[in-house]
Amino acid sequence: MTQLYKTIGLIGKPHHDGTSATIEILYKYLTEHNYHVLVESTVAPFIRIDNLAKHSLMQIGEQAELAIVVGGDGYMLGAARVLAGYKIGVIGVNRGNLGFLTDLSPDNLIPPLEAILRGESRSEQRFVIEAEVYRHGKLKSSNSAVNEAVVHAGKVANMIEFEVYIDGSFMFSQRSDGLIISTPTGSTAYSMSAGGPILTPGLNALSLVPMFPHTLTSRPIVVDGSSEIKLILANENYENLQVSCDGHVILAVMPGDEVIIKKSEYTLRLIHPLDHDYFNVLRSKLSWGNELY
């Protein structure tokens, strides 16, 4: 039978015994079944396999048709920001806590993986956002986010002041600890903890969630996913302002800077088992009630 995936990348959290053990199992299984396997360079030194070649995330994105990421949602996000730039399917093995993005369990790994490798799977595209910082009209820095971009002060409990524009139209000015701009993927992450709405993954939408606003009338708002969101930071702000992308990448922001957040041209292609059900994931992870009858 023709292999649907010929080259498969293995990516995982280094310095984690459970992740290393899972990658060893995957490597042995895949090589025994004649798959070409690429192991990501940061985790490769912790895998007890002789003469193991090391590959960067970019090399995996360029050469593989499927990437298996072993770890929690945080590690999946780090890999996803890079892999979204390539036409590669991504599936996660949960070695973290909640695991909204990591479908497979390390305790029951091979049977569902076999089905996926046979093509018995479903895929979905999750859009990615870009955060750009402009100073005096010039682009100073940028990065992408799968979950959210957060504009905030560099110190805890420091209020900042800013204006928000949607597609050039003024929406509001605000004094708060910051603003979370979340994708549907990120709506069950930091945004949800701050009181934001849960957005189903297929929605073309972004949510804007204020962080401890200095007003009783400020509420989260959902806008079209193709909108351009612009924040202008007031000159009266302190200088230690930041934009956090997925909580991993930090962009420095100065008073008076403009931050533009918009949908990226790239998307993340997630691969799920056939029995994957988003609402079942929500019930399981958030301890929602089951059917009454």
Side-chain angles (χ1 to χ4, degrees):
M1 184 175 69
T2 304
Q3 287 182 333
L4 181 62
Y5 306 103
K6 296 181 180 180
T7 302
I8 298 176
L10 298 181
I11 302 161
K13 185 176 182 179
H15 305 284
H16 189 280
D17 292 341
T19 295
S20 299
T22 298
I23 289 182
E24 288 171 13
I25 291 170
L26 287 168
Y27 185 90
K28 291 174 182 177
Y29 170 81
L30 292 170
T31 53
E32 286 173 0
H33 288 79
N34 301 315
Y35 290 95
H36 182 213
V37 181
L38 309 178
V39 180
E40 200 266 329
S41 57
T42 61
V43 75
F46 303 94
I47 308 304
R48 294 171 298 181
I49 295 173
D50 295 334
N51 303 316
L52 193 63
K54 304 175 185 178
H55 299 81
S56 68
L57 273 177
M58 287 73 75
Q59 289 174 321
I60 290 175
E62 291 168 351
Q63 300 177 33
E65 296 87 30
L66 179 70
I68 303 175
V69 182
V70 183
D73 281 348
Y75 204 81
M76 169 68 107
L77 289 172
R81 281 195 304 276
V82 177
L83 296 177
Y86 303 92
K87 296 178 180 179
I88 182 174
V90 181
I91 189 165
V93 179
N94 187 21
R95 276 290 183 182
N97 294 316
L98 281 177
F100 278 101
L101 295 176
T102 48
D103 290 341
L104 301 187
S105 168
D107 300 323
N108 180 36
L109 181 57
I110 298 304
L113 179 61
E114 287 178 332
I116 289 169
L117 295 177
R118 291 195 301 268
E120 298 171 13
S121 63
R122 60 180 64 184
S123 68
E124 63 171 336
Q125 302 286 344
R126 300 283 186 97
F127 72 78
V128 178
I129 54 176
E130 294 284 341
E132 301 173 335
V133 178
Y134 288 85
R135 189 167 302 149
H136 306 302
K138 294 183 179 180
L139 179 64
K140 300 299 294 184
S141 59
S142 65
N143 216 291
S144 60
V146 177
N147 267 0
E148 74 279 307
V150 184
V151 181
H152 60 98
K155 295 180 181 179
V156 175
N158 260 29
M159 194 166 286
I160 63 174
E161 188 171 354
F162 53 89
E163 295 178 343
V164 179
Y165 294 78
I166 305 295
D167 292 328
S169 295
F170 174 70
M171 184 163 68
F172 58 68
S173 58
Q174 189 173 94
R175 295 183 71 237
S176 66
D177 281 14
L179 186 70
I180 303 169
I181 298 94
S182 172
T183 68
T185 301
S187 68
T188 51
Y190 193 27
S191 170
M192 183 177 69
S193 298
I198 294 176
L199 308 177
T200 53
L203 283 177
N204 181 34
L206 291 166
S207 65
L208 282 67
V209 183
M211 300 167 62
F212 303 104
H214 199 230
T215 172
L216 297 177
T217 58
S218 183
R219 294 290 183 267
I221 184 170
V222 177
V223 300
D224 188 279
S226 300
S227 302
E228 179 186 271
I229 301 167
K230 179 169 69 175
L231 283 75
I232 300 179
L233 283 301
N235 288 313
E236 292 76 18
N237 287 304
Y238 294 103
E239 295 189 4
N240 56 332
L241 307 175
Q242 298 177 344
V243 178
S244 298
C245 298
D246 290 339
H248 289 193
V249 180
I250 305 297
L251 308 179
V253 182
M254 298 287 288
D257 284 356
E258 295 184 359
V259 178
I260 293 180
I261 296 162
K262 57 188 177 181
K263 186 189 290 187
S264 170
E265 63 179 293
Y266 302 114
T267 59
L268 172 65
R269 184 162 68 95
L270 289 179
I271 307 295
H272 301 291
L274 277 180
D275 62 356
H276 175 268
D277 183 293
Y278 179 72
F279 296 107
N280 184 52
V281 173
L282 290 182
R283 284 196 305 274
S284 172
K285 306 301 182 183
L286 301 180
S287 299
W288 285 358
N290 293 318
E291 291 178 302
L292 295 178
Y293 304 103

